[in-house]
Amino acid sequence: MDAVASFMDQWSQERPDLDVTPMATIGRLSRMAALIQQRIDGVFAQHDLQSWEFDVLASLRRSGKPYSLTAGELDRTMMITSGTTTHRITRLEARGFVERVRDEDDRRVVHVRLTDDGRRACDAVHGVHLDNERAILALMGDEDRVKLTDGLVALAQALGDVPPAAPRR
Amino acid sequence: MDAVASFMDQWSQERPDLDVTPMATIGRLSRMAALIQQRIDGVFAQHDLQSWEFDVLASLRRSGKPYSLTAGELDRTMMITSGTTTHRITRLEARGFVERVRDEDDRRVVHVRLTDDGRRACDAVHGVHLDNERAILALMGDEDRVKLTDGLVALAQALGDVPPAAPRR
DNA sequence: CTCCTGTATCTTGATATCAAGATATACAAC
DNA sequence: GTTGTATATCTTGATATCAAGATACAGGAG
């Protein structure tokens, strides 16, 4: 009996007129995301990094050389607002992990470029982070893990979660 | 090709030495949770409510008469820290949706009780909220939804997500 | 060229959250 | 009883986030 199952039982007592079956899926989805995030935060904290910092560094890192994205591209990749992106860049710039480079052709655009220090910080923790995620998933059986992944792929499709459009050149 | 699949492709180019398969599950899990949360927030906003406000009201509502939990019980049910609970109670008290009642036997304890207004607010939006969740899930096929739910149940079990212990009397 | 509209980023103000510590109370051991 | 330890809530300070608006620039229409 997990937490969400218990909540659903309570509702069947208190509001038998409501069909709370969506909670079985969506309630657990958000709870599991929160629980896993706590574990992930813990691993990054051991390496003097916040999860949001790794998100930025990893977004730049995986974009390939020259490890540079515009502020707007970061907005869309990380699903955050532009104000938050500004704040994140500023803090990472202060740590020396990224630098701002104004676009020469379009002066509105800011290119955020990973520094060598930033790349090192990202690469140094990436393996540990993935091992942690692997260990979490290893707690489930193979069959269930496949079901979960298949279901999430279908959900991503259903919600139209496409990657942010590449910049037009 | 969803966003996470695209990210994994990028990693296979940039860091072919890393096995990023955990992203297929955990990356999608957190992304889907965030996307769904946005839709849920929108529905509550249309009814002049924040998601966290509904969380509190619903926690109290489903506990049954007299619709009362202690601050600590709310901490554990909602997976938030005690400072956040204090803040939430204060704001909901100002809206007249809950009231604080000091325990007579143990003066440290605060009972948070749903008012009639609070119960009405919760019940009024609950149906719409569930319809919204149902509509989201209806975007996937039945088979995939079952797989997803089964996988999440297994994950909750694996992470030991038990309901918060009932108070000892 | 000038105007207009759209776009990219940043700023501002409000707020939700957490970590750490403060306060008040209960309870057990002596 | 007194003392010490554990518990429940609240306070404080820092910070991450968002919404809305400001600023700066681009690019097309005339």
Side-chain angles (χ1 to χ4, degrees), chain B residues 93-129:
Chain B
E93 205 173 25
R95 287 193 72 169
F97 287 165
V98 305
E99 48 191 21
R100 281 180 165 95
V101 182
R102 277 282 169 188
D103 188 289
E104 285 305 318
D105 298 330
D106 186 340
R107 305 282 303 159
R108 294 171 306 178
V109 173
V110 168
H111 297 278
V112 181
R113 213 168 65 77
L114 199 59
T115 63
D116 288 346
D117 267 10
R119 191 169 64 77
R120 270 190 291 272
C122 180
D123 289 351
V125 72
H126 203 164
V128 183
H129 168 54

Side-chain angles (χ1 to χ4, degrees), chain A residues 59-75:
Chain A
S59 296
L60 296 168
R61 179 68 178 85
R62 71 170 184 259
S63 74
K65 287 189 176 176
Y67 307 122
S68 176
L69 293 172
T70 68
E73 286 166 349
L74 284 172
D75 290 352

Side-chain angles (χ1 to χ4, degrees), chain A:
Chain A
M1 171 76 89
D2 67 11
V4 171
S6 156
F7 297 162
M8 290 174 70
D9 277 359
Q10 291 184 293
W11 282 123
S12 71
Q13 290 294 313
E14 293 301 317
R15 293 293 308 268
D17 55 312
L18 289 178
D19 172 14
V20 296
T21 48
M23 280 187 73
T25 313
I26 293 182
R28 283 191 183 93
L29 183 67
S30 69
R31 252 186 108 85
M32 294 307 103
L35 282 177
I36 288 176
Q37 191 59 54
Q38 287 181 352
R39 296 193 183 217
I40 290 174
D41 290 346
V43 167
F44 284 129
Q46 286 170 14
H47 293 78
D48 191 28
L49 218 55
Q50 311 259 359
S51 285
W52 65 259
E53 293 179 303
F54 180 79
D55 278 351
V56 178
L57 301 182
S59 296
L60 296 168
R61 179 68 178 85
R62 71 170 184 259
S63 74
K65 287 189 176 176
Y67 307 122
S68 176
L69 293 172
T70 68
E73 286 166 349
L74 284 172
D75 290 352
R76 293 183 283 277
T77 296
M78 298 190 291
M79 299 196 298
I80 56 180
T81 59
S82 65
T84 299
T85 297
T86 298
H87 181 250
R88 289 187 178 188
I89 297 169
T90 302
R91 307 220 98 220
L92 286 171
E93 205 174 25
R95 286 193 73 169
F97 288 164
V98 306
E99 48 191 22
R100 282 182 165 92
V101 182
R102 276 280 169 191
D103 188 289
E104 285 304 320
D105 299 331
D106 185 339
R107 306 283 302 157
R108 295 170 303 177
V109 173
V110 168
H111 297 278
V112 182
R113 213 168 64 78
L114 200 59
T115 63
D116 288 345
D117 266 10
R119 192 169 64 76
R120 271 190 289 273
C122 181
D123 289 352
V125 71
H126 202 165
V128 183
H129 168 55
L130 285 168
D131 287 344
N132 179 41
E133 291 193 332
R134 233 184 309 280
I136 291 168
L137 292 174
L139 297 172
M140 336 175 36
D142 288 349
E143 196 179 324
D144 284 321
R145 196 178 58 247
V146 171
K147 276 191 190 175
L148 176 58
T149 310
D150 286 356
L152 287 168
V153 169
L155 180 57
Q157 203 71 31
L159 293 178
D161 181 33
V162 294
R168 286 163 296 155
R169 286 271 152 238

Side-chain angles (χ1 to χ4, degrees), chain B residues 6-161:
Chain B
S6 156
F7 298 162
M8 290 174 69
D9 277 359
Q10 289 184 293
W11 283 121
S12 71
Q13 291 293 314
E14 294 301 319
R15 293 294 308 271
D17 55 312
L18 290 178
D19 172 14
V20 296
T21 46
M23 280 187 73
T25 313
I26 293 182
R28 283 191 182 93
L29 183 66
S30 69
R31 254 186 106 84
M32 294 307 102
L35 282 177
I36 288 177
Q37 192 57 55
Q38 286 181 352
R39 297 194 183 216
I40 289 174
D41 290 347
V43 167
F44 283 129
Q46 286 170 13
H47 293 78
D48 190 29
L49 218 55
Q50 311 260 354
S51 285
W52 66 259
E53 293 179 303
F54 181 78
D55 278 352
V56 178
L57 301 183
S59 296
L60 296 169
R61 179 69 176 87
R62 72 170 183 258
S63 74
K65 288 188 178 177
Y67 307 123
S68 175
L69 293 173
T70 69
E73 285 166 350
L74 284 172
D75 291 351
R76 293 183 284 276
T77 296
M78 298 190 292
M79 298 195 299
I80 57 181
T81 59
S82 66
T84 301
T85 298
T86 298
H87 181 251
R88 289 187 178 188
I89 296 169
T90 303
R91 308 219 95 222
L92 287 171
E93 205 173 25
R95 287 193 72 169
F97 287 165
V98 305
E99 48 191 21
R100 281 180 165 95
V101 182
R102 277 282 169 188
D103 188 289
E104 285 305 318
D105 298 330
D106 186 340
R107 305 282 303 159
R108 294 171 306 178
V109 173
V110 168
H111 297 278
V112 181
R113 213 168 65 77
L114 199 59
T115 63
D116 288 346
D117 267 10
R119 191 169 64 77
R120 270 190 291 272
C122 180
D123 289 351
V125 72
H126 203 164
V128 183
H129 168 54
L130 285 167
D131 287 345
N132 180 41
E133 291 194 332
R134 235 185 307 280
I136 291 169
L137 293 174
L139 297 171
M140 339 175 35
D142 287 349
E143 196 178 325
D144 284 320
R145 197 177 58 247
V146 171
K147 276 188 184 177
L148 176 58
T149 310
D150 287 355
L152 287 168
V153 169
L155 180 58
Q157 203 71 32
L159 293 178
D161 182 33

